Amino acid sequence: MDFKQIQELIKIMGKSDLTELKIEQESFKITLRKGTAMPLIPSAVQPQAPKNVLQENTITPPPVETGTQEKTDSDKAAANKYITIKSPMVGTFYRAPAPDKEPYVKVGDIIKKGDHICIIEAMKLFNEIESEVDGKVVKILVEDASPVEYDQPLFLIDPEGV
């Protein structure tokens, strides 16, 4: 199954009442879901190249540089008391439901479990992400409209800030 076929499946699923679609072939497996807050990550099993074939043109992304500044003991203690809300999927992070709308949350806002806190667009599907904790938003760790990875920290929440 190629990328265009997957895109067509997504379009068809978006126009239908289907909520889940699973396709399994010998070397390929994909599951698409809609209407849930669960991760919508298709999983694909890539066929293995024969052992006598060299794999060329492998691209390794450059390492991401982190700050060289050491955290102080007080910074570490503060970080330990916060809860990190992480991305449940790969996609594009949006703070607001539309470009002309207010963001779901801002630093200093009090949130409750189940509140919508952002949207992650994955494969042309917009997934509203809900908070799994009560607390106060201390920091937003991702810029609006930027790509995010699975399990990437998005927000720091102070559970005692309620």
Side-chain angles (χ1 to χ4, degrees), residues 11 17 21 40 65 76 78 120-121 127-129 149 153 161:
K11 286 178 187 176
D17 292 333
L21 175 66
L40 302 177
E65 290 189 29
K76 289 179 185 176
I120 297 182
E121 177 190 4
N127 305 284
E128 290 182 323
I129 307 304
E149 295 293 325

Side-chain angles (χ1 to χ4, degrees), residues 73-82:
D73 288 338
S74 63
D75 288 342
K76 289 179 185 176
N80 287 338
K81 79 173 193 169
Y82 297 143

Side-chain angles (χ1 to χ4, degrees), residues 11-141:
K11 286 178 187 176
I12 292 168
M13 192 171 168
K15 294 177 183 176
S16 74
D17 292 333
L18 289 174
T19 57
E20 183 172 310
L21 175 66
K22 288 184 181 182
I23 297 175
E24 293 185 29
Q25 295 175 345
E26 274 186 32
S27 62
F28 184 82
K29 179 180 175 182
I30 187 168
T31 301
L32 301 173
R33 291 184 195 102
K34 71 175 183 181
T36 65
M38 295 180 61
L40 302 177
I41 303 171
S43 59
V45 177
Q46 297 294 328
Q48 300 250 340
K51 291 183 179 180
N52 61 353
V53 176
L54 290 176
Q55 302 248 339
E56 294 183 13
N57 298 328
T58 303
I59 299 172
T60 304
V64 177
E65 290 189 29
T66 58
T68 58
Q69 186 178 25
E70 291 287 322
K71 283 189 173 184
T72 64
D73 288 338
S74 63
D75 288 342
K76 289 179 185 176
N80 287 338
K81 79 173 193 169
Y82 297 143
I83 296 172
T84 304
I85 296 179
K86 297 180 179 181
S87 177
M89 65 188 74
V90 175
T92 303
F93 172 87
Y94 295 104
R95 290 186 56 200
D100 59 337
K101 302 286 184 188
E102 287 291 315
Y104 285 109
V105 296
K106 299 181 286 279
V107 173
D109 286 356
I110 303 296
I111 59 172
K112 299 286 182 199
K113 185 175 181 176
D115 287 352
H116 292 179
I117 55 174
C118 67
I119 288 179
I120 297 182
E121 177 190 4
M123 297 177 63
K124 304 292 182 190
L125 295 175
F126 291 86
N127 305 284
E128 290 182 323
I129 307 304
E130 297 177 353
S131 174
E132 295 179 1
V133 297
D134 295 341
K136 180 179 179 181
V137 178
V138 175
K139 190 169 187 178
I140 300 171
L141 304 169

